[in-house]
Amino acid sequence: MNIETRILSSLEKVFPMKDPCPTTTPMTCLQGEKYAFQIAAKIDMQRTYGCLLYVDIESELPVTIRRVGYVPAQLLNGRALDNHYLTDQPGLFPDPLFDPEPYGLCCDAIEPLEGTGKIGAINSICGQWGSMLLEVRTEGVPAGTYPIKVNLTAKSPYWGEKSVDCSVSTSLEVVGVQLPKSDLKYTCWFHGDCLADYYGVAPLSEEHWAILEKFIRSAVRMGLNMILTPIFTPALDTVVGGERTTVQLVDVIREKGVYRFGFEKLERWVKMCRECGMVWFEMAH
């Protein structure tokens, strides 16, 4: 029984059955910058097909950890291919990030290891690679080199095999230069109608506004500073003759050939987005 590990760039794509390429670039960032990297792990146990991987982080820096999940994909490209695809074959692809579970990810009977702060971060399939994304925030951190040690313990919930321990050590150099404020306008189209549909709430209800705020705050944490603002519900990706869920913020009323407009929802949207940290507003056509 053993755990094989590798430290990777945050940009590396870890596939279950392909050996990932370890990073050779020193880990450095500016003060105030958020730095991310991955730890890939493959566990081999003799009598089981799956196990829980507990994680404990030792560092002076604030480090968060999330499990990288997989999604199935069948159609990866059109008919025209270039040489920049990782693969053109269907399979499992790393994409979603999951918060670690205190009791493992699928087995409620497994308790956290006695006397440790370890948490179950990966429900791992033995013999396959999985990865964790670690994010380090450096706001207010003095310049210097900070060691980061990640202790891993693999434990099978099925056959009572002995646990397997290993440690991964690295360091992050925080350069004594403040990260300057970016003048880049960064947006990814934000579709509030999709959130209403997914969560099954009435568009622009109080429940919907609460969901919108959570996702906008998350977007700001990821660096977005401009948000698509649905003055009108965009007709994008709408089936001919169909209709998108209406989430437009400007009320349009036509009575006896006269138009009136209401801007209360738009004002609420702008106020909420500014409170969340948005700076710029991209207006829908």
Side-chain angles (χ1 to χ4, degrees):
M1 299 183 291
N2 71 299
I3 305 176
E4 185 178 353
T5 60
R6 294 182 186 178
I7 297 175
L8 313 172
S9 161
S10 61
L11 302 179
E12 181 74 12
K13 307 298 186 291
V14 179
F15 293 94
M17 302 308 295
K18 183 179 178 181
D19 287 344
C21 181
T23 183
T24 57
T25 305
M27 293 170 47
T28 63
C29 69
L30 302 183
Q31 289 174 316
E33 188 175 1
K34 181 176 69 174
Y35 187 89
F37 66 100
Q38 292 183 93
I39 293 179
K42 183 171 72 172
I43 300 101
D44 287 320
M45 286 189 166
Q46 297 175 351
R47 299 184 59 196
T48 187
Y49 54 85
C51 67
L52 295 174
L53 185 62
Y54 293 90
V55 182
D56 177 39
I57 301 172
E58 299 179 23
S59 176
E60 297 178 39
L61 300 174
V63 182
T64 59
I65 182 171
R66 285 177 289 176
R67 176 176 64 94
V68 181
Y70 291 95
V71 295
Q74 288 182 279
L75 180 61
L76 306 183
N77 51 65
R79 295 184 178 182
L81 291 177
D82 56 34
N83 295 325
H84 301 293
Y85 283 83
L86 294 174
T87 177
D88 61 357
Q89 298 300 307
L92 294 174
F93 291 80
D95 186 67
L97 298 175
F98 297 102
D99 289 331
E101 299 280 350
Y103 299 104
L105 299 170
C106 70
C107 184
D108 293 335
I110 299 299
E111 297 288 337
L113 296 183
E114 285 285 334
T116 75
K118 294 185 179 180
I119 52 178
I122 295 181
N123 186 30
S124 186
I125 305 299
C126 290
Q128 297 183 13
W129 286 100
S131 69
M132 299 161 280
L133 182 74
L134 290 87
E135 291 183 341
V136 187
R137 293 189 175 273
T138 62
E139 293 90 345
V141 173
T145 299
Y146 295 86
I148 301 173
K149 184 178 181 182
V150 181
N151 302 311
L152 304 175
T153 298
K155 185 175 182 181
S156 170
Y158 305 107
W159 298 101
E161 288 191 79
K162 292 182 179 180
S163 60
V164 184
D165 296 282
C166 80
S167 295
V168 183
S169 295
T170 185
S171 62
L172 175 64
E173 180 188 2
V174 179
V175 180
V177 177
Q178 288 287 335
L179 180 68
K181 186 176 180 179
S182 173
D183 59 358
L184 177 71
K185 296 180 179 69
Y186 175 27
T187 184
C188 292
W189 281 2
F190 188 95
H191 290 299
D193 57 320
C194 298
L195 292 174
D197 294 342
Y198 182 83
Y199 287 100
V201 297
L204 300 179
S205 62
E206 290 304 316
E207 295 86 354
H208 189 211
W209 280 106
I211 292 168
L212 290 171
E213 182 176 351
K214 289 181 179 179
F215 274 81
I216 292 169
R217 289 191 183 278
S218 178
V220 170
R221 286 196 301 271
M222 300 299 171
L224 273 74
N225 58 12
M226 183 163 70
I227 187 166
L228 179 63
T229 299
I231 300 173
F232 304 109
T233 299
L236 300 169
D237 304 323
T238 303
V239 177
V240 175
E243 182 179 343
R244 284 187 76 129
T245 299
T246 300
V247 292
Q248 73 182 49
L249 299 172
V250 175
D251 295 320
V252 183
I253 303 97
R254 183 175 184 268
E255 293 178 339
K256 298 180 181 180
V258 178
Y259 284 94
R260 293 186 293 109
F261 303 91
F263 299 96
E264 291 81 6
K265 299 186 186 74
L266 178 59
E267 290 174 352
R268 179 175 178 176
W269 171 273
V270 172
K271 181 181 178 181
M272 177 185 69
C273 290
R274 283 179 169 168
E275 290 176 348
C276 291
M278 284 293 175
V279 180
W280 302 92
F281 294 85
E282 179 184 10
M283 301 303 181
H285 301 301

